[in-house]
Amino acid sequence: MANSKYEYVKSYEVEDEIFLPNIIIVRIDGRGFRRFAEVHEFKKPNDVVALNLMNSCAVAVSEEFPDIVFAYGFSDEYSFVFKKMSKFYQRRASKVESIIVSFFSSVYVTKWREFFPQKGLRYPPSFHAKVIPCAAIEVLQSYLLWRQNDCHTNNLHNTCLWELIKDGKTESEALELLEGTSKEAKNDLLFEKFEINYQKLDEMFRQGSCILKTEVIDVVKHNENGSPVRRLRKKLRIVHSKNIAGGSFWNKHKSLLNELGSFKKDIGKVEPDFLKCFQFAKKLLPSTWIVIRIDGCHFHRFSDVHEFVKPNDEQALNLMNSCALAVVKEFQDTVFSYGISDEYSFVLSKNSQFYQRRASEIVSVVVSFFTSMYTMKWTDFFPQRELKYPPYFDGRAVCYPSSEILRDYLAWRQVDCHINNQYNTCFWQLVKSGKSKSEAQNFLKGTQAGDKDKLLKQFGIDYNKLPLMFRQGSSTFLDKGDIITVNKNESSVENSQKKVIVEHCNIIEPSFWCAHPAILNV
């Protein structure tokens, strides 16, 4: 396929490879999960079912991506540790973190009914994600100790807090009472006032949950006489341990030793400054337009399994548009978005301070929210079609320094829409006519746009009369509308009300931007 004059915009994409020998950790955290827990009436201080849902999602992530050899989680967070020599998506940070958080979000939505059959999912859950590179096994050890210490500290505090609230105190009174108290004082409070021995509470609450591969003897088949054939196999297990950063736990698991290395000595405390050295937050350039571009992962297979109409499935495209509309409404710094096929580009205002312009947080939250929305809305668009496995997306952030270059980026995507759609329309017409896929590819090799137009006319298709959504993609954006305010003596028009609209139009020509000046003048 021919390249367009807008291809130069790809030069603004920056590589973000995590170099060897860094060990990759992807940590995800629930976004606004305090409100989410309240709306969905999670039990306080710990909801066993909600924690088991998190653990089940983490197991699914570990099964889907075998490079993950260890995971640790508590409350609404999970950390996934990749094997040391992993080449997962060429170790590109944005790809790694967005794929993990997207898949986790998708599984969370699909498994919700299994864990909460009597509770409807009121709105899409979303998660932050970031990559933490560990330059040595000692950094990983400190990181795990830090997270497990946080688990214990937070759970002890929350257990005291909610016991006091149940006893009649307001939340502010309980917080004031607990301010500055030591761990010993909190333990004494629980035991003396509420007869609770903290050490006897569920270990999942106190220690968090680990997921790792263990070797087990499993029955793989039966002989003709019915006797079982057993073999050593690796299986994922959820375990709870008092000290996951201790050598006695870590060094007894072969999979951890082989893929990550051993802990040479135990450590008693975490040095915050030591860990901060490895937790850098990439900030996007100020005063530039931010584009968050998401793409479906393995959507060729996904569309085949779910029997999407070829070359374009109108319902599938409308589902993508519906999710994009939700993103624009949810994140108010998003001023424009453009989508084709299984991709969408979201434009954030050049003055945006969304998450202080931290790339990992912006990308992960947008991808996570989009994925959750896609999974939740599936039945609205495909009521008769079961979602057979969780869809997921990857994402990246790119900065464009001027409105002109931003428009060239969007023009590049729309040119790609036309090129790909014209090719795919020809391809599937040839396949429907009896050619194999390889024959259709060979037939179209080297053909120009005019050749394809002539070919389609042989099939009775005027390409220019196909639906605009197929040929031009979909633009979703905030558009200011006029509202009339009536005073006692006079009426006035104020251009302040915003609404989100979806259009299928030519965004390459200046006429679109002249008709919607507010988009790039924010």
Side-chain angles (χ1 to χ4, degrees):
M1 297 182 190
N3 293 331
S4 71
K5 66 178 182 179
Y6 305 108
E7 292 277 332
Y8 79 92
V9 297
K10 290 195 288 186
S11 64
Y12 288 90
E13 297 180 10
V14 179
E15 292 297 325
D16 55 355
E17 182 181 348
I18 308 153
F19 294 108
L20 289 167
N22 283 285
I23 297 169
I24 298 172
I25 300 175
V26 174
R27 178 178 163 196
I28 70 167
D29 292 275
R31 167 180 169 257
F33 251 61
R34 177 167 182 168
R35 174 176 173 264
F36 185 86
E38 290 172 354
V39 169
H40 293 93
E41 300 176 343
F42 286 0
K43 293 179 181 177
K44 304 291 186 179
N46 294 290
D47 190 302
V48 176
V49 179
L51 291 174
N52 285 331
L53 171 55
M54 289 288 293
N55 291 342
S56 181
C57 295
V59 169
V61 171
S62 301
E63 288 174 339
E64 182 73 13
F65 307 111
D67 276 18
I68 295 171
V69 293
F70 184 75
Y72 174 74
F74 64 95
S75 185
D76 62 344
E77 77 165 65
Y78 242 100
S79 298
F80 298 94
V81 183
F82 288 72
K83 64 183 182 182
K84 188 173 183 178
M85 303 306 293
S86 173
K87 297 293 181 64
F88 187 68
Y89 281 90
Q90 294 76 52
R91 299 176 67 90
R92 285 176 288 173
S94 57
K95 283 264 192 183
V96 174
E97 67 194 11
S98 60
I99 285 170
I100 298 303
V101 77
S102 179
F103 188 81
F104 191 99
S105 304
S106 190
V107 174
Y108 194 97
V109 174
T110 56
K111 284 181 175 282
W112 176 269
R113 188 172 293 178
E114 176 186 338
F115 286 84
F116 293 103
Q118 306 304 320
K119 286 183 186 178
L121 190 54
R122 303 280 293 276
Y123 63 89
S126 54
F127 299 83
H128 307 271
K130 61 181 175 181
V131 164
I132 300 167
C134 297
I137 190 71
E138 291 79 16
V139 182
L140 173 62
Q141 185 179 21
S142 294
Y143 174 85
L144 294 175
L145 180 60
W146 170 47
R147 297 321 306 139
Q148 191 163 46
N149 283 349
D150 254 23
C151 171
H152 166 64
T153 302
N154 295 341
N155 185 64
L156 179 60
H157 176 273
N158 290 335
T159 303
C160 292
L161 174 70
W162 286 100
E163 286 300 326
L164 289 168
I165 291 172
K166 290 174 188 175
D167 194 48
K169 302 243 181 247
T170 65
E171 186 171 348
S172 58
E173 289 172 338
L175 288 170
E176 186 177 353
L177 187 64
L178 293 171
E179 188 175 357
T181 56
S182 65
K183 292 179 181 179
E184 292 76 12
K186 291 185 178 77
N187 274 298
D188 291 343
L189 171 68
L190 289 174
F191 189 75
E192 293 170 7
K193 187 173 180 62
F194 302 110
E195 298 182 349
I196 295 174
N197 184 341
Y198 182 75
Q199 297 304 321
K200 291 187 177 180
L201 294 179
D202 193 317
E203 57 187 3
M204 179 167 64
F205 304 161
R206 295 182 290 110
Q207 300 169 357
S209 301
C210 305
I211 297 166
L212 46 79
K213 293 171 184 174
T214 57
E215 292 184 338
V216 297
I217 301 294
D218 202 9
V219 176
V220 294
K221 64 178 181 178
H222 288 81
N223 289 324
E224 292 180 1
N225 61 6
S227 61
V229 177
R230 293 181 172 86
R231 287 181 187 160
L232 195 65
R233 300 183 70 178
K234 288 183 178 179
K235 277 194 171 183
L236 289 170
R237 283 180 55 212
I238 299 174
V239 299
H240 308 286
S241 175
K242 186 176 182 179
N243 184 7
I244 61 173
S248 60
F249 168 78
W250 191 265
N251 295 335
K252 72 179 180 182
H253 295 288
K254 288 183 180 179
S255 61
L256 302 181
L257 293 175
N258 293 338
E259 301 292 2
L260 294 165
S262 63
F263 292 161
K264 303 300 183 186
K265 62 179 181 178
D266 286 350
I267 51 177
K269 63 178 182 178
V270 179
E271 297 293 341
D273 291 339
F274 176 66
L275 279 175
K276 283 179 183 177
C277 296
F278 300 94
Q279 294 187 69
F280 62 92
K282 176 190 172 186
K283 287 197 173 185
L284 300 170
L285 287 171
S287 302
T288 57
W289 296 98
I290 300 171
V291 172
I292 307 300
R293 179 176 162 193
I294 71 170
D295 290 274
C297 291
H298 310 298
F299 255 60
H300 280 294
R301 175 176 174 266
F302 184 85
S303 63
D304 288 342
V305 169
H306 292 92
E307 299 176 347
F308 285 1
V309 177
K310 305 291 187 180
N312 294 287
D313 189 300
E314 189 171 355
Q315 285 300 88
L317 293 174
N318 284 330
L319 171 55
M320 291 286 293
N321 293 341
S322 179
C323 296
L325 188 145
V327 169
V328 174
K329 286 183 176 179
E330 180 74 9
F331 305 113
Q332 296 184 5
D333 283 8
T334 310
V335 296
F336 186 80
S337 65
Y338 176 74
I340 56 175
S341 185
D342 62 344
E343 77 167 62
Y344 240 101
S345 296
F346 297 96
V347 180
L348 273 63
S349 164
K350 64 182 178 181
N351 300 317
S352 172
Q353 291 302 314
F354 188 47
Y355 287 112
Q356 292 74 55
R357 299 178 77 90
R358 293 192 296 268
S360 60
E361 295 217 50
I362 298 172
V363 173
S364 61
V365 164
V366 171
V367 171
S368 175
F369 184 84
F370 188 97
T371 306
S372 287
M373 187 62 72
Y374 190 98
T375 310
M376 283 185 68
K377 284 179 170 284
W378 176 267
T379 53
D380 294 343
F381 291 84
F382 296 102
Q384 307 302 322
R385 210 174 295 178
E386 176 191 3
L387 186 59
K388 296 186 178 180
Y389 62 88
Y392 60 100
F393 301 80
D394 66 54
R396 74 189 73 179
V398 186
C399 294
Y400 296 101
S402 68
S403 299
E404 291 74 22
I405 297 173
L406 171 66
R407 283 176 51 184
D408 281 354
Y409 167 81
L410 295 169
W412 170 49
R413 300 319 307 136
Q414 189 161 57
V415 169
D416 250 26
C417 173
H418 162 68
I419 292 172
N420 293 339
N421 184 63
Q422 188 185 43
Y423 178 91
N424 289 333
T425 305
C426 291
F427 176 83
W428 286 105
Q429 284 299 321
L430 289 169
V431 171
K432 289 174 185 176
S433 72
K435 290 188 183 294
S436 68
K437 291 181 179 181
S438 59
E439 288 173 338
Q441 288 172 343
N442 290 331
F443 187 89
L444 292 171
K445 193 176 293 184
T447 56
Q448 302 299 313
D451 301 324
K452 294 183 181 75
D453 267 340
K454 291 177 183 177
L455 174 64
L456 289 175
K457 285 176 181 175
Q458 293 175 18
F459 291 108
I461 296 173
D462 184 343
Y463 181 78
N464 292 319
K465 290 185 178 179
L466 292 178
L468 285 173
M469 180 166 63
F470 301 165
R471 294 184 287 116
Q472 297 183 340
S474 301
S475 300
T476 308
F477 54 94
L478 289 165
D479 191 38
K480 288 186 177 180
D482 292 340
I483 56 173
I484 299 176
T485 58
V486 180
N487 300 322
K488 288 183 179 179
N489 301 319
E490 60 181 348
S491 63
S492 62
V493 175
E494 296 179 359
N495 192 27
S496 61
Q497 186 182 20
K498 289 184 177 180
K499 58 183 178 179
V500 182
I501 59 176
V502 180
E503 289 190 357
H504 314 294
C505 51
N506 187 331
I507 59 173
I508 299 175
E509 297 299 324
S511 56
F512 171 83
W513 304 102
C514 292
H516 304 284
I519 295 174
L520 299 184
N521 291 335
V522 290

